[in-house]
Amino acid sequence: MPANSLASVYGLIDDCARRQILGSDIDIEIVAIDETNTRVRVDRIIRDMRANNNFGFVGLVGVQSNQYPRSLHIAKPLREAGIPVIIGGFHVSGMLAMFDRVGPDLRAALDIGITLFAGEAEGRIDEVVRDAAKGALNPIYNYINDLPALEDAVIPFLPGNSVRKTIGNVTTFDAGRGCPFQCSFCTIINVQGRKSRRRSPDDVELILRKNYEQGIDRFFITDDNFARNKDWEAIFDRIIKLREHDGMDVRFLIQVDTLCHKIPNFVAKAKRAGVTRIFIGLENINPDNLLAAKKRQNKITEYRNMLLAWKAVGIWTYAGYILGFPNDTPESARRDIEIIKKEMPLDVLEFFFLTPLPGSEDHKVLSEKGAVLDPDLNKYDLEHALTPHANMSKAEWEKLYRDAWAIYYTPSHIETILRRAQAYDINIWRLAQIILWFAQSLTIEKVHPLQGGFVRLKNRHERRPELRIEPVWKFYPRLTWEIVVKHVRVAAAAWRIFGIYRRVAASAHIAYTDQAMTPVSDDETQRLELFTHNESAREAVDRARRIKMLIESSAAQPTA
Ligand code: B12
Ligand code: SF4
């Protein structure tokens, strides 16, 4: 995925260049490098900057917590060469949002003269660029308590050649920021706030048109909860117009919450607006766990309604599932995944460790309690066990994480997912490709699918400073062997998964249905394990029934 953070900052500085904010005699030149697909040649940056007397700065953009150590590693030689460096993104913003003091991680940056930027750059970038030009950057720019409106903000943009280094015709943009809910593991609400700030439909159209002109027509709208973007309908209406009247075949992946199907017209308009996939933070099916994480909006009694509503219009679903909530045990989590497979019409499921990400309430509470927290920020990527768990040892938790992928993506369940999708008229060829990626990334590449790619770039000289540079005779044979083995394994997995695809596609004429696809019925709360697997599930059903009765009886009361 091309990074929207990079596109946002690029767009803002490009706008400074167009407005000639340093005067008509000074050109502003920008180079965007995305380290997920391009090697950052620090030596060349130093050479180019030196040729311009170090006039300018290097911005490390959208730096997440797990990328923060790497950002310091990149910054160090630049600072030694006298080049101004600014770090922005969720780690700096999250830490300064939650703590009044500057912790040792941020101090390490300040100590070598790096500037930190917290908050959002819309409306603030001119000041930064001018200060950099004067050679007078502040140590910290802190706008975390002063979030900008987005209605007329400069739009995110990346040149086509930069976008094409990732999936190809896909890019990302944010139509809005902020989410009203209060999940305790969430960083977004503390960094981007709980109020919906959004771009105007005109700006969304501009983003789509600018990208479309470059041949980019698939988009991931990065709003963490597009269903709570207060202008979702006006934005969808505009996109519907572009698709239905102007013939622009644009398509979208959006992120929504588990109550989105209750918003009148939301699902139907999403379909017309070209949404082909949705991502849902399902997180867990144990109501006690959801309550412990303050994820009160996730109601297990609505899960099937919501998924079936999307399926009815042929939209496929990705869901995130978190392992390691307080009530999870290795056995309960395994059982819960089996229940999901049997009873919920979900396509792609991805697993995460419950992680106290810097910027979240969980991180703040644990830090202030002096709880054990892994000090290595590299591991804050949702793929590591970082705190002790009451019901599992670290090794058990790690094994559960690895097993979860294998339990969900068995050959027989892959076949079920494809059969269900085919029955809902979903493109199962694309779905099979995505399943290959999600089912195999952790096994083969040892990273979460969102961090994996097709070919891994490795350079012998670029290692964490604490690791020794390997000799040529060891590095290259090992890299070659690694590439060969990985691609043989990918080919074998592809053979198996596309074999299943072929079998399913060949039986397209045979009607298929199963428990997960069965429409929601009144008695299912007594029958399905989703609602009966533990006491808290039964209580959730009871609560939902009481609320429904109350609503029905108040609707039946005559009004004065
Ligand atoms: C889209 C997205 C992705 C995309 C693209 C990445 C991107 N940054 O665009 C992909 C799929 C690649 C991705 C992957 C991951 N992500 Co992500 N992602 C997001 C998401 C949903 C939107 C990002 C975005 O567009 N934000 C809007 C931009 C404009 O905000 P911003 O990044 O803060 O940038 C603004 C300011 O910070 C500032 N700024 C930033 N940099 C700079 C630099 C300078 C010089 C200046 C002046 C200003 C400045 O100005 C920008 C414009 O206002 C965020 C959640 C969120 N709401 O932000 C999570 C989020 C950033 N991701 C997160 C995580 C954990 C991950 C993964 C580790 C998950 C995983 N295991 O797969 C991976 C890591 C990838 C990696 N290579 O290491 C966390 C990070 C939390 C943290 N404390 O670090 C977030 C916050 C979500 C969460 N769960 O809390 N992600
Ligand atoms: S619904 Fe998602 S974005 Fe909103 S508070 Fe919860 S985790 Fe954060």
Side-chain angles (χ1 to χ4, degrees), residues 403-432:
D403 288 355
W405 297 88
I407 295 172
Y408 188 76
Y409 293 104
T410 57
S412 92
H413 193 58
I414 292 174
E415 181 162 341
T416 304
I417 297 171
L418 293 178
R419 284 196 189 284
R420 286 177 189 159
Q422 184 160 264
Y424 289 117
D425 223 10
I426 284 170
N427 179 345
I428 64 165
W429 169 240
R430 278 298 291 143
L431 183 56

Side-chain angles (χ1 to χ4, degrees), residues 4-5 62 64-65 67 90 119 121-122 187 192 224 358 381 450-451:
N4 176 49
S5 310
Q64 304 181 2
S65 298
Q67 300 162 332
F90 254 70
E122 286 77 6
T187 61
Q192 299 183 333
D224 295 278
D381 57 1
L450 291 188
Q451 303 218 65

Side-chain angles (χ1 to χ4, degrees), residues 179-183 185-186 188-189 224-225 257 283 295 297:
C179 174
F181 297 120
Q182 279 183 289
C183 311
F185 54 81
C186 179
I188 286 111
I189 42 179
D224 295 278
N225 195 343
D257 61 60
E283 325 300 17
K295 193 132 193 161
Q297 71 277 19

Side-chain angles (χ1 to χ4, degrees), residues 106-164:
L106 301 189
R107 173 68 43 213
L110 294 172
D111 285 348
I112 55 170
I114 295 172
T115 289
L116 301 176
F117 186 97
E120 296 172 12
E122 286 77 6
R124 284 76 196 248
I125 202 77
D126 288 16
E127 180 191 355
V128 175
V129 173
R130 286 201 181 101
D131 287 354
K134 280 188 280 184
L137 280 171
N138 295 338
I140 303 183
Y141 292 84
N142 189 349
Y143 290 106
I144 198 70
N145 294 320
D146 183 14
L147 298 172
L150 294 181
E151 269 85 4
D152 294 315
V154 174
I155 59 169
F157 179 74
L158 276 179
N161 59 357
S162 176
V163 172
R164 269 191 206 86

